[in-house]
């Protein structure tokens, strides 16, 4: 009795090339930073930065570190139930400051987020400043208490 | 490298990524790279009223360094295989260190 297993080639096919692996492997070049950013090039993106800024612009260039160039950038500020847009022009962002890039659905880009309304930029900026200071104060006491208990908090991510 | 390979096996599965600023984004895992940067498609944000800037976003690229957790579907993780692979990698590391 021959010892056959499922992986043996069928009889009469010994001179054929070895069989393909059962699961087709995805090409490795798909899994690089470059491939991921290439898909987003020349698209309108929302970029969230480490300091809490949200920029909306068209991604024109990038490199392997995730440094980005945005064109036609608008900074959008949200506070309470208000938002404001400030035109900023061209932005070059150092990669380490990026939290997240989101491709904007062009069908929905002009929709105003539920419950929000547009307000003058100065007004929103002042409110945002106040809110940030209050949060900083709160975080400070929180971190001090955590440190007393031996916890070292995560650093450098303020808001999204 | 182990977790890079592991995440590659999870492509096209639905996952939830929790970021270090407490926002949770659910979507289909589309790609991952060596830094564990993650690309998600068809996203929805848990508690989206607090994060209005993501309301018109359909897919995201998340920088690996800001990820706190990735919630995975239990059914698509072969825990035994992962344990084995972890041990093997740990063994390789210690063997290298001894050389």
């Amino acid at each position: 009795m021959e010892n056959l297993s499922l992986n043996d080639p069928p009889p009469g096919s010994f001179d054929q090339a070895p069989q393909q692996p059962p699961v087709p492997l995805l090409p490795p070049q798909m899994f690089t930073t470059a491939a991921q950013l290439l898909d987003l090039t020349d698209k309108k993106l929302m970029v969230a930065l480490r300091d809490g800024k949200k920029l909306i612009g068209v991604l024109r260039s990038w490199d392997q570190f995730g440094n980005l160039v945005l064109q036609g950038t608008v900074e959008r500020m949200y506070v309470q139930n208000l938002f404001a847009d400030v035109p900023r022009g061209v932005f070059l962002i150092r990669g380490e400051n990026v939290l997240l890039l989101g491709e904007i659905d062009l069908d929905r880009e002009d929709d105003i987020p539920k419950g929000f309304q547009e307000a003058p930029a100065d007004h929103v900026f002042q409110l945002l400043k106040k809110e940030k200071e209050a949060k900083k104060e709160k975080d400070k006491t929180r971190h001090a208490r955590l440190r007393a208990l031996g916890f070292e908090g995560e650093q450098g991510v303020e808001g999204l | 490298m182990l977790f890079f390979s592991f995440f590659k096996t999870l492509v096209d599965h639905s996952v939830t990524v929790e970021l270090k600023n407490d926002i949770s984004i659910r979507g289909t895992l589309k790609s991952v790279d060596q830094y564990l940067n993650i690309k998600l498609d068809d996203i929805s944000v848990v508690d989206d009223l607090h994060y209005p800037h993501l309301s018109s976003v359909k897919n995201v690229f998340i920088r690996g360094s800001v990820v706190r957790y990735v919630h995975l579907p239990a059914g698509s993780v072969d825990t035994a295989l992962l344990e084995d692979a972890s041990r093997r990698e740990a063994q390789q590391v210690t063997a290298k260190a001894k050389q």
Side-chain angles (χ1 to χ4, degrees), chain B residues 1 6-7 14 27 34 43 45 51 53 60 65 72 75 83 87 89:
Chain B
M1 273 320 251
F6 171 61
F7 276 117
S14 178
Q34 54 170 332
I43 61 151
V45 180
Y51 306 103
H53 58 291
V60 288
S65 62
L72 312 167
E83 280 173 21
R87 286 199 195 97
E89 184 154 286

Side-chain angles (χ1 to χ4, degrees), chain B residues 37-56:
Chain B
N37 295 330
I38 288 174
K39 220 168 155 181
L40 297 179
D41 224 341
D42 298 322
I43 61 151
S44 59
V45 180
V46 182
D47 194 15
D48 52 353
L49 287 180
H50 281 89
Y51 306 103
H53 58 291
L54 286 167
S55 63
S56 57

Side-chain angles (χ1 to χ4, degrees), chain B:
Chain B
M1 273 320 251
L2 172 64
F3 281 89
F4 175 38
S5 310
F6 171 61
F7 276 117
K8 283 202 278 190
T9 68
L10 288 170
V11 164
D12 285 334
H13 286 85
S14 178
V15 298
T16 306
V17 180
E18 184 180 324
L19 308 188
K20 286 184 189 171
N21 46 23
D22 298 332
I23 180 170
S24 291
I25 304 174
R26 186 171 178 76
T28 314
L29 185 68
K30 272 299 160 197
S31 180
V32 63
D33 67 18
Q34 54 170 332
Y35 308 108
L36 304 188
N37 295 330
I38 288 174
K39 220 168 155 181
L40 297 179
D41 224 341
D42 298 322
I43 61 151
S44 59
V45 180
V46 182
D47 194 15
D48 52 353
L49 287 180
H50 281 89
Y51 306 103
H53 58 291
L54 286 167
S55 63
S56 57
V57 169
K58 53 180 175 183
N59 60 55
V60 288
F61 168 91
I62 302 167
R63 193 177 158 89
S65 62
V66 299
V67 174
R68 185 186 284 141
Y69 300 122
V70 182
H71 305 249
L72 312 167
S76 53
V77 183
D78 187 343
T79 335
L81 192 71
L82 193 60
E83 280 173 21
D84 272 355
S86 303
R87 286 199 195 97
R88 223 171 301 133
E89 184 154 286
Q91 255 172 9
Q92 277 169 9
V93 170
T94 45
K96 249 188 198 159
K98 275 179 192 165
Q99 277 173 14

Side-chain angles (χ1 to χ4, degrees), chain A residues 27-68:
Chain A
Q29 65 269 26
M30 260 186 66
F31 298 102
T32 58
T33 319
Q36 294 177 346
L37 288 171
L38 191 61
D39 290 348
L40 296 174
T41 313
D42 295 334
K43 300 259 165 63
K44 193 168 189 182
L45 302 184
M46 188 284 299
V47 181
L49 301 183
R50 219 159 53 146
D51 65 355
K53 282 197 178 80
K54 286 103 196 170
L55 305 173
I56 299 175
V58 180
L59 180 66
R60 288 303 187 192
S61 190
W62 45 268
D63 64 14
Q64 73 271 35
F65 307 112
N67 298 322
L68 310 172

Side-chain angles (χ1 to χ4, degrees), chain A residues 46-55 66 68 70 73 75 91-101 132 156-160, chain B residues 21 53 66:
Chain A
M46 188 284 299
V47 181
L49 301 183
R50 219 159 53 146
D51 65 355
K53 282 197 178 80
K54 286 103 196 170
L55 305 173
L68 310 172
L70 295 182
T73 314
E75 179 182 344
F91 246 82
L92 196 158
I93 306 162
R94 190 175 159 88
E96 62 177 333
N97 298 304
V98 175
L99 286 191
L100 172 154
L101 310 177
K132 255 190 171 172
V157 182
E158 277 186 26
L160 192 74
Chain B
N21 46 23
H53 58 291
V66 299

